[in-house]
Amino acid sequence: MSYAQILANAHKTSTSSGSASSGKTGAGSSADTVTLSDAARAALAEKDFASVTTDARATLDALLAAAQVTSPLKDGAVAVDLGKVDRRELYAMSINSNQKFTVDEQKAAAIELQNRFDHALAGPTAVGRVTGSIKGLYTAALAYFDGMGPEEKATAAYADQRAALEQMLNKIEADPGTLPGAVANDPIDAYMQRLAAGETGGLRDIGSVAADARATLDALYRSSGGTRPDYSDFDSRSIAAVALNSGGRFSAAESRAASAEMRSRSASALLQGLQSAGSSTDPGAFAQNVISLYGAMSPEERAAAGWSDNLYAAAVASYQSASKLGSLLGAATGSTIWSGSASGSADTGSFSLMDYL
């Protein structure tokens, strides 16, 4: 599970408002209550793609104006913060929906979409380097694909790539030594090639992130009369920029508040990882979750949260100890329930994921 996924789950748990219902009561009749699922409510609220495209144009115009630039690209890199742009809006930009977007705008949106996919795999990649198991990357990729909008899901590329992910998962179940590229159209194989070439991640310069955070804070102060900064809508890297006082742009009070928010978020993520591990039969599950969290965080986020290299090393050692203990327990009891996620892969002799990653 990636850092972003765990934080999203924590946020969903804390903000869930239960089911929505509507009823109508007349004389002599009982109330008829209809309970809607989250998916049903989302479907009711879904906009048509023409409206999404219009909103995408307005969103991008506002970002360009705020950054005082005419193009979202500079020297081939994204120069504005597209991190909070709705995924369907990004997709509309990337395909030049209704011919509303320039070539640079299309490219910037495509880069952001690629970066989001890469980020979703960052945590599972960190786990794979330690455990030798590639399955987590495919599970994360499937979750990412399932979160795409209906327009993306209607494309042939989506159908081909999602089918490849499912085929690979089936192959991995049958043979844990299967490597990416065993089937055509595998997006993990493409990701691995970018990873090997050092072309994944795509983080904006922390100075640019800090400048945006400064502007956002100033706008919040103006709208609220200068009250204590509220970081609830800030992404984690922006909070890290404030906490670390990147560029010397922030007051001591702002940095202290951002540090408290960052540590609170990381604590919530750790709690989610612990709770997730509690339902697993893998003795190294919590250590894997910590490794995934660490791998998905930027260097600035780790520094602001107080996550050192020593923490990562301890998580790796904990996983290795738990896996060894699990193997011993499995041998003693004759049960595979204790064998851990890497069992059946490290001893095959043909598995080369470590070199691959």
Side-chain angles (χ1 to χ4, degrees):
M1 185 179 294
S2 72
Y3 182 55
Q5 286 172 312
I6 291 177
L7 283 178
N9 289 343
H11 179 72
K12 182 177 180 181
T13 299
S14 64
T15 60
S16 176
S17 59
S19 60
S21 63
S22 62
K24 178 173 61 178
T25 306
S29 67
S30 62
D32 297 320
T33 301
V34 178
T35 301
L36 299 178
S37 66
D38 289 343
R41 288 200 297 274
L44 288 174
E46 192 171 273
K47 293 182 291 188
D48 63 86
F49 199 49
S51 298
V52 171
T53 301
T54 299
D55 290 347
R57 182 67 265 171
T59 297
L60 188 53
D61 287 341
L63 288 171
L64 293 172
Q68 297 182 337
V69 295
T70 57
S71 170
L73 287 181
K74 182 179 180 180
D75 299 328
V78 179
V80 297
D81 185 9
L82 298 177
K84 291 185 178 179
V85 177
D86 176 80
R87 183 184 175 88
R88 291 179 74 204
E89 290 184 16
L90 275 177
Y91 182 67
M93 296 177 197
S94 72
I95 64 169
N96 193 20
S97 178
N98 289 345
Q99 307 299 302
K100 288 182 177 289
F101 306 96
T102 67
V103 172
D104 277 4
E105 290 167 350
Q106 295 169 52
K107 184 176 180 180
I111 291 172
E112 173 64 20
L113 287 171
Q114 188 68 79
N115 287 343
R116 291 188 186 188
F117 179 70
D118 292 351
H119 182 72
L121 298 181
T125 298
V127 172
R129 284 192 169 110
V130 175
T131 66
S133 172
I134 199 171
K135 184 177 179 179
L137 278 81
Y138 284 90
T139 302
L142 272 177
Y144 181 87
F145 269 65
D146 287 345
M148 291 181 178
E151 295 78 24
E152 284 182 272
K153 289 181 177 179
T155 65
Y158 170 87
D160 291 343
Q161 292 180 34
R162 197 185 187 289
L165 292 173
E166 290 185 334
Q167 289 177 45
M168 280 298 296
L169 272 175
N170 289 335
K171 285 181 175 293
I172 291 167
E173 287 291 339
D175 177 11
T178 305
L179 290 175
V183 300
N185 303 308
D186 180 2
I188 298 297
D189 186 40
Y191 164 76
M192 289 295 193
Q193 293 180 34
R194 292 196 307 276
L195 185 67
E199 298 173 354
T200 61
L203 294 175
R204 290 181 71 213
D205 175 72
I206 193 63
S208 298
V209 175
D212 288 349
R214 179 71 270 166
T216 302
L217 277 174
D218 290 342
L220 287 173
Y221 290 146
R222 289 192 295 270
S223 65
S224 63
T227 59
R228 188 173 185 272
D230 178 11
Y231 294 111
S232 58
D233 290 332
F234 279 53
D235 65 272
S236 294
R237 197 153 182 260
S238 295
I239 295 174
V242 180
L244 299 175
N245 192 19
S246 297
R249 296 174 180 270
F250 308 97
S251 69
E254 289 169 338
S255 293
R256 283 195 300 270
S259 293
E261 175 68 18
M262 192 68 195
R263 290 174 185 270
S264 175
R265 291 192 185 190
S266 63
S268 295
L270 280 173
L271 179 59
Q272 284 290 314
L274 181 61
Q275 292 172 340
S276 173
S279 61
S280 173
T281 59
D282 184 349
F286 179 58
Q288 290 182 63
N289 287 342
V290 174
I291 293 166
S292 181
L293 287 168
Y294 187 94
M297 296 167 81
S298 68
E300 295 83 12
E301 288 170 302
R302 293 171 193 155
W307 286 42
S308 68
D309 291 345
N310 289 337
L311 174 63
Y312 173 79
V316 172
S318 176
Y319 168 78
Q320 292 171 340
S321 296
S323 295
K324 184 175 181 179
L325 177 61
S327 295
L328 292 172
L329 287 171
T333 63
S335 171
T336 58
I337 193 173
W338 301 105
S339 59
S341 64
S343 68
S345 60
D347 297 328
T348 62
S350 62
F351 195 63
S352 56
L353 178 63
M354 303 307 182
D355 291 334
Y356 199 90
L357 289 173

